[in-house]
Amino acid sequence: MRGQTSKLYAIVHCKCPHCRRGDIFTGSMYGWNIQHTKEICGHCAQRIEIEPGYFYAAMYVSYAMNVIEMLLASLITYLIFGPLTDATFWHYLIVIFTGCFVLYPFNYRYSRIILLHVLSPNIKYKPYYDK
C-alpha cells in the first residue's frame, strides 16, 4: 500500500489533481518532443480540460508569472549593470526578453498546473487512488 501523495509533489511533478498519479502532459518541458496537455488522466480518467476554453484562464496565471519573472530579471540586471539609462537600455531589453523566451515552456506548463491544483474548486483529490 502506498502512502498518500502530497499536493506539492503532484504540482512539482505535474500530476493529475484528482488522483495525483497520472501525468498531465505528454512530451518534455524542454526538448524536441513538444509538450501537450492530455485530454483525460491515464490513471483515473479525470477530464483535464473540464470545459471548452477552460485553459484560457491559465493565460492570466501565466501573465502573473511572467510579470514576476520580468521584475526579477530587471532587478538582476540592475544589480549587474546599474540603473536604467541610455547606455544600459539594451542590456535590460535583452535580458528581459531572453528570460521571457526561455521561461515560456515553464510558464505554459505550470500556469495550467496552478490553475488545476489551486484555482479549480471542482476537482477534488480522491485518496483511494493511492491504494
Side-chain angles (χ1 to χ4, degrees):
M1 181 172 163
R2 296 176 170 171
Q4 197 173 26
T5 307
S6 74
K7 186 172 195 135
L8 181 61
Y9 176 87
I11 290 172
V12 170
H13 294 282
C14 301
K15 300 295 183 182
C16 171
H18 187 67
C19 65
R20 296 185 185 169
R21 295 282 177 195
D23 292 325
I24 299 287
F25 296 97
T26 61
S28 60
M29 189 178 341
Y30 291 98
W32 297 111
N33 294 334
I34 298 173
Q35 62 181 333
H36 293 284
T37 307
K38 292 183 177 182
E39 290 184 27
I40 61 169
C41 174
H43 190 263
C44 69
Q46 167 70 39
R47 187 160 175 74
I48 303 300
E49 187 171 3
I50 299 168
E51 58 192 34
Y54 175 73
F55 285 120
Y56 284 123
M59 290 188 306
Y60 296 105
V61 177
S62 178
Y63 176 77
M65 293 169 66
N66 217 350
V67 167
I68 292 168
E69 292 159 2
M70 286 177 162
L71 289 173
L72 287 172
S74 297
L75 176 65
I76 292 168
T77 307
Y78 175 80
L79 294 174
I80 294 171
F81 295 107
L84 178 61
T85 62
D86 288 342
T88 61
F89 172 77
W90 287 105
H91 295 109
Y92 277 84
L93 198 66
I94 290 169
V95 168
I96 290 170
F97 281 117
T98 301
C100 289
F101 180 74
V102 168
L103 291 172
Y104 172 75
F106 175 84
N107 289 345
Y108 172 83
R109 182 172 284 215
Y110 282 98
S111 65
R112 289 174 178 230
I113 292 297
I114 289 169
L115 180 67
L116 285 168
H117 280 273
V118 180
L119 302 174
S120 294
N122 296 337
I123 302 177
K124 302 286 187 218
Y125 170 58
K126 305 288 188 210
Y128 60 80
Y129 285 110
D130 282 332
K131 296 178 183 175

